[in-house]
DNA sequence: CTTCATGCAAATAATTTGCAGTAAG
DNA sequence: CTTACTGCAAATTATTTGCATGAAG
C-alpha cells in the first residue's frame, strides 16, 4: 500500500482510504471492471459511492496511474499501469493474462510498409489458456 | 448494396431499408461509432429509431457480419467483418487505417512461451499517420 | 487551516425491452 | 399470408455533475 501512497503523492493526489482501496483492489485482481471494483471496495467501505469510484478511475487514468483495458466482447476493465505487455484473453474462463514479448520487429515491418509512425501498441490474443486446455 | 442483400439472405435476415443503410454507412466510413451511424442513416430515413439501430448492430454482430472495434480512448466503433487485419490509430486525426501484416511468428513465439493457444488476435498500433506527420 | 475528495441526490447519457403496427419474402 | 422488423415509449443501466460536508496534509 505504501507504494500507492508514494505514487499518489508524486501526483499531488491525496491518499484517501477510497483511493487506496480502489488501487489495491485493481492491483489484486490484475484486470477488473467497474462493478467488480465497486463490489470489492464496498465491502470494506460501505459508504463509498459510485460517483467517487467513477471520479477516481477517471482521475487515475488521466494521471496515467491506471489504464483502460478494452477487450473484445468484454466489459471495459482497468489495470495498474505497468511496463508494456500484451493481453491473453481466455475464451473459456475469461481470465486475462499479462504477457511480455518483444514486438519491435512487427512494429518495424508495419512502419516500413505503411508510413505510419508507431508510438505504442495494444495487443490482445484470444484463445484458450493453459488451465482450460487440458 | 447487392452484396449486403446476399449476406443478409445467407443468414436468413430480411433486407430492410434500415439494415442496408446501416451496412452501407459502416462500409463507406470503414470505422464508425453508433451516433455517427445514426446521424448518417437518419438523413436518409428520418423515421429510424435508435432502438432499431442498436438491435441491428447487435444482431449483425452475433451473425458475424459486423465486428466491434474497441480502441484506446475512443468510443466503440464498428466495421464490416473482413479478412484479419490490424488497426493503425492516428493520435492526431483519429483516423483508423486497416493494415494487413503477417503475425504468425509473433503468435508462435507467444504460444511457445506461454502455453496459451491463440485462436485470433486484436492489434492496435497508436501513432501518427502519413498525412499528419508532415 | 486550506484544499481537495467524498457522499448524496439529481441530471444526463447509453442501451434494452414490450408491444402494436408494418413491411419483406 | 406469415414472420420478422420497426417505431415509439417506457424501463433499465451507466456515467457525470452540483453542492454541502468531511478528511488529508
Amino acid at each position: 500500500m505504501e507504494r500507492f501512497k508514494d505514487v499518489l503523492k508524486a501526483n499531488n493526489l491525496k491518499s484517501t482510504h477510497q483511493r487506496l482501496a480502489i488501487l489495491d483492489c485493481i492491483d489484486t485482481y490484475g484486470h477488473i471492471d467497474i462493478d467488480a471494483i465497486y463490489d470489492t471496495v464496498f465491502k470494506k467501505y460501505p459508504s463509498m459511492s459510485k460517483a467517487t469510484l467513477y471520479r477516481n478511475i477517471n482521475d487515475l487514468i488521466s494521471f496515467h496511474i491506471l489504464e483502460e483495458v478494452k477487450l473484445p466482447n468484454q466489459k471495459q476493465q482497468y489495470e495498474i499501469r505497468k511496463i508494456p505487455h500484451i493481453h491473453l484473453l481466455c475464451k473459456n474462463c475469461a481470465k486475462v493474462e499479462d504477457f511480455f514479448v518483444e514486438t519491435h520487429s512487427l512494429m518495424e515491418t508495419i512502419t516500413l510498409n505503411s508510413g505510419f509512425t508507431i508510438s505504442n501498441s495494444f495487443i490482445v490474443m484470444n484463445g484458450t489458456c493453459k488451465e482450460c486446455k487440458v
Side-chain angles (χ1 to χ4, degrees), chain A:
Chain A
M1 293 287 277
E2 284 311 309
R3 171 189 155 210
F4 291 127
K5 284 191 183 179
D6 294 344
V7 174
L8 292 172
K9 183 177 280 180
N11 287 281
N12 290 311
L13 295 170
K14 291 184 175 172
S15 289
T16 62
H17 293 311
Q18 293 86 338
R19 248 175 215 159
L20 291 170
I22 290 167
L23 286 167
D24 191 47
C25 165
I26 298 174
D27 190 44
T28 303
Y29 285 91
H31 309 81
I32 183 168
D33 67 41
I34 280 279
D35 290 326
I37 298 171
Y38 184 71
D39 291 346
T40 305
V41 178
F42 185 85
K43 277 179 195 144
K44 203 167 177 192
Y45 300 106
S47 75
M48 195 190 66
S49 67
K50 273 207 166 162
T52 296
L53 176 54
Y54 275 110
R55 264 187 293 231
N56 274 315
I57 293 287
N58 291 336
D59 293 349
L60 294 168
I61 286 175
S62 57
F63 281 99
H64 302 293
I65 297 167
L66 290 183
E67 276 182 353
E68 9 169 79
V69 181
K70 296 182 173 187
L71 304 171
N73 306 110
Q74 299 270 322
K75 263 191 76 171
Q76 176 151 332
Q77 305 196 16
Y78 302 93
E79 67 181 358
I80 306 289
R81 186 184 217 203
K82 35 186 121 74
I83 54 172
H85 58 277
I86 73 166
H87 293 109
L88 308 181
L89 170 61
C90 180
K91 285 172 188 293
N92 188 248
C93 66
K95 281 238 177 64
V96 183
E97 198 178 327
D98 287 345
F99 190 74
F100 300 88
V101 64
E102 202 44 73
T103 55
H104 276 94
S105 72
L106 174 65
M107 286 172 35
E108 205 153 300
T109 306
I110 296 166
T111 303
L112 289 172
N113 294 298
S114 67
F116 186 94
T117 308
I118 300 171
S119 58
N120 66 298
S121 63
F122 181 80
I123 300 180
V124 185
M125 295 290 165
N126 298 293
T128 314
C129 73
K130 220 186 265 184
E131 286 71 36
C132 290
K133 220 185 302 181
V134 180

